[in-house]
Amino acid sequence: MINSKLIIFSFINVVALIVSITLFVERPENKTSLSESNNPSDSDSLNRFTPVAIEPLIVEVNGNEEQLAAQQALHNEGKQQLQEKDKQLKKLTEKNNELTLQLSFITNELQQNSDYISAVESENAALNREIKEQLNASTALTLAPSDSDKMRDRIQMESEFNNTRLQGNLVEPEATAESDGVIDTKDAVIDAKAEESIDKLSGSVAFGFKYEQDNVVSRGLDGKLILDYDEVDTYNINSDLKFEFESEDKKTTTDKYRWQLQAGYNLDPRNIVFARTDLQRSEFSSYNKEDIYTLGYGRLVFDQAKHKFNVEIGPGYRMAEPNVGKDAISIDEFILRTRLLYSRNVTESLQINMDTVLEAGDSNSIYGFTLEAQNRIYRELYLIFEFDYKYTQNVPIDTVNQEVSTGLSLMYAF
């Protein structure tokens, strides 16, 4: 009985052991699966027994590589910027060298200019000294009346002294030299005044051939005498006398001339007032006699190296006597005269003058145009080509309105 109980008890223990072993062996896998899904605390306990790689070390290595890459990128960028700065520095250095050369050139030019200016100033100073000396000499030549009386007495004394020398007395040689110097001084004063008056007077003489077509066709020789007296910045007197020797139907006549006389007073360097006379006589023109008297105002519009332009305007009175018929009626009337004069220096030797005149009246108006080209041949000798055109509005019967003439002459200026 005891044995049977012992066997049953042993059997139960064996069964229990098997069951417990079975359960004990399978349960950890279930618990692990369950713990992975439902119980994180158990997974932490299990992870303590599971070997894991040291991740902080791996993270630190990755961070160092990124830093190194960033530093390398910064290094490359800085290197590029440094290269660009080097290039800019080279360009600035080249520009600096160019500016330095230009500055040196400018400095040299300034130095040369300063040397030239100093030389010119020294020359001007020398010229000023010479001018002052000449002015002082000329002032010394212009003596006061009292000084001239003293000088005259001295000359008389020296002449008496020279007369005694001729009689055998001793005479100092210095007195004669001094008296000669006084006489030369008077002569110099007279010569200076004569030269000054000559400089104010100028003129010209011209002779040439002329072809004219008015009421008849004529050919002949013409001459011109121009005199001009100019008191600078004060007044001016100009005389222009023109005459012709014409041949018509194999007959020679001198009954044609024109005299223009004008006196002007300078208000300032550009403005003048003037009085003018124009006397014309012609046997072949529409009017045998024309006398024109004018008062007016003139202005110099511009006066440059290459060209000059003058304008004149003023009222006047014209007396005209026809050339056809004894019973022809003269036309005497008041007129308004305007004149435009333009001069152009084409070259150093060639000058062209264009003169336009309009005399407008109630009964008759006259328009005239003159083109003159003068070329310097030698010194004061000129070759002159002249073209004249004149249009008269109202003319006597059997006469023409237009008068045209051309001429070629030689002129000598003095």
Side-chain angles (χ1 to χ4, degrees):
M1 203 55 197
I2 295 172
N3 291 332
S4 62
K5 289 181 181 181
L6 184 60
I7 292 169
I8 294 169
F9 181 78
S10 297
F11 179 76
I12 292 170
N13 287 331
V14 170
V15 173
L17 179 61
I18 292 169
V19 171
S20 62
I21 289 170
T22 302
L23 294 173
F24 182 80
V25 171
E26 293 177 353
R27 191 174 182 85
E29 293 179 357
N30 294 329
K31 285 183 179 181
T32 301
S33 62
L34 292 173
S35 64
E36 289 175 356
S37 61
N38 297 323
N39 195 357
S41 63
D42 293 337
S43 65
D44 293 336
S45 63
L46 289 175
N47 288 334
R48 285 194 294 244
F49 299 98
T50 304
V52 180
I54 302 174
E55 292 180 357
L57 181 61
I58 294 172
V59 172
E60 185 177 0
V61 171
N62 293 332
N64 290 332
E65 289 179 353
E66 292 177 356
Q67 291 178 0
L68 289 173
Q71 291 178 359
Q72 186 66 28
L74 291 174
H75 177 71
N76 294 331
E77 185 178 357
K79 189 175 181 180
Q80 291 178 356
Q81 292 179 357
L82 184 61
Q83 291 176 354
E84 292 178 356
K85 295 293 183 182
D86 291 335
K87 291 179 181 179
Q88 293 179 358
L89 182 61
K90 289 180 180 179
K91 291 181 179 179
L92 291 175
T93 304
E94 293 176 355
K95 289 183 179 180
N96 189 17
N97 294 331
E98 292 178 356
L99 292 175
T100 303
L101 291 174
Q102 293 179 359
L103 182 61
S104 63
F105 291 152
I106 293 172
T107 304
N108 293 330
E109 290 180 355
L110 289 175
Q111 184 64 32
Q112 293 176 358
N113 291 332
S114 62
D115 295 338
Y116 176 75
I117 291 171
S118 61
V120 170
E121 288 178 351
S122 61
E123 291 180 357
N124 289 334
L127 290 174
N128 290 329
R129 287 195 297 270
E130 292 180 359
I131 292 171
K132 288 181 180 179
E133 292 176 357
Q134 293 178 359
L135 290 175
N136 292 330
S138 62
T139 305
L141 293 176
T142 308
L143 302 176
S146 59
D147 294 335
S148 63
D149 294 335
K150 292 179 181 179
M151 192 65 68
R152 190 181 302 108
D153 295 335
R154 189 173 182 178
I155 292 171
Q156 291 177 358
M157 292 174 63
E158 288 173 353
S159 64
E160 293 175 358
F161 194 71
N162 289 329
N163 291 329
T164 58
R165 181 185 177 186
L166 293 175
Q167 296 175 0
N169 296 328
L170 296 177
V171 180
E172 294 181 358
E174 295 179 358
T176 304
E178 187 177 1
S179 64
D180 293 339
V182 172
I183 296 172
D184 294 339
T185 300
K186 284 191 172 183
D187 294 337
V189 172
I190 295 172
D191 293 339
K193 292 182 179 179
E195 290 179 358
E196 184 179 358
S197 62
I198 290 173
D199 290 339
K200 296 177 182 179
L201 179 65
S202 62
S204 63
V205 179
F207 292 95
F209 173 80
K210 192 165 189 178
Y211 178 85
E212 186 170 358
Q213 181 177 359
D214 38 32
N215 295 290
V216 294
V217 177
S218 59
R219 304 170 184 84
L221 298 176
D222 67 335
K224 181 186 293 187
L225 174 62
I226 298 175
L227 296 176
D228 187 87
Y229 185 82
D230 187 12
E231 189 73 30
V232 179
D233 296 335
T234 306
Y235 65 89
N236 173 270
I237 301 175
N238 180 268
S239 173
D240 185 349
L241 176 62
K242 185 176 182 180
F243 52 88
E244 296 182 11
F245 299 91
E246 293 186 348
S247 174
E248 171 61 24
D249 296 333
K250 298 181 181 181
K251 295 181 181 180
T252 303
T253 178
T254 58
D255 193 13
K256 184 171 185 179
Y257 66 88
R258 181 179 184 181
W259 183 33
Q260 300 178 78
L261 179 63
Q262 178 168 319
Y265 178 78
N266 297 332
L267 301 175
D268 55 53
R270 287 186 174 273
N271 299 286
I272 65 168
V273 290
F274 65 88
R276 184 177 185 276
T277 62
D278 186 358
L279 309 178
Q280 301 181 52
R281 301 292 184 270
S282 176
E283 187 177 347
F284 305 124
S285 299
S286 299
Y287 290 90
N288 181 36
K289 177 182 177 181
E290 287 186 72
D291 295 341
I292 302 171
Y293 305 94
T294 310
L295 295 175
Y297 163 78
R299 177 172 176 80
L300 178 62
V301 180
F302 57 82
D303 185 5
Q304 300 178 359
K306 289 292 184 180
H307 52 181
K308 181 171 66 173
F309 183 56
N310 296 74
V311 176
E312 293 179 1
I313 187 170
Y317 189 78
R318 178 176 61 209
M319 297 180 290
E321 181 179 330
N323 202 6
V324 178
K326 296 182 179 179
D327 297 331
I329 300 175
S330 300
I331 300 177
D332 301 339
E333 62 178 346
F334 288 97
I335 62 170
L336 178 64
R337 179 180 179 272
T338 58
R339 182 190 184 194
L340 305 177
L341 176 60
Y342 177 75
S343 300
R344 174 75 179 183
N345 296 325
V346 181
T347 62
E348 293 182 356
S349 60
L350 178 61
Q351 181 181 5
I352 296 177
N353 301 319
M354 290 180 286
D355 191 358
T356 302
V357 178
L358 176 61
E359 298 170 353
D362 186 25
S363 301
N364 201 3
S365 296
I366 298 175
Y367 169 77
F369 173 75
T370 302
L371 174 64
E372 182 183 79
Q374 61 180 26
N375 187 30
R376 183 194 297 268
I377 300 175
Y378 178 74
R379 292 187 178 179
E380 305 301 328
L381 187 63
Y382 297 83
L383 178 64
I384 307 296
F385 171 79
E386 187 174 8
F387 171 80
D388 289 329
Y389 174 81
K390 181 179 180 181
Y391 179 82
T392 305
Q393 182 182 4
N394 297 317
V395 296
I397 301 174
D398 298 332
T399 60
V400 296
N401 299 89
Q402 300 181 16
E403 300 177 10
V404 181
S405 63
T406 57
L408 193 65
S409 60
L410 287 176
M411 183 183 75
Y412 176 76
F414 57 88

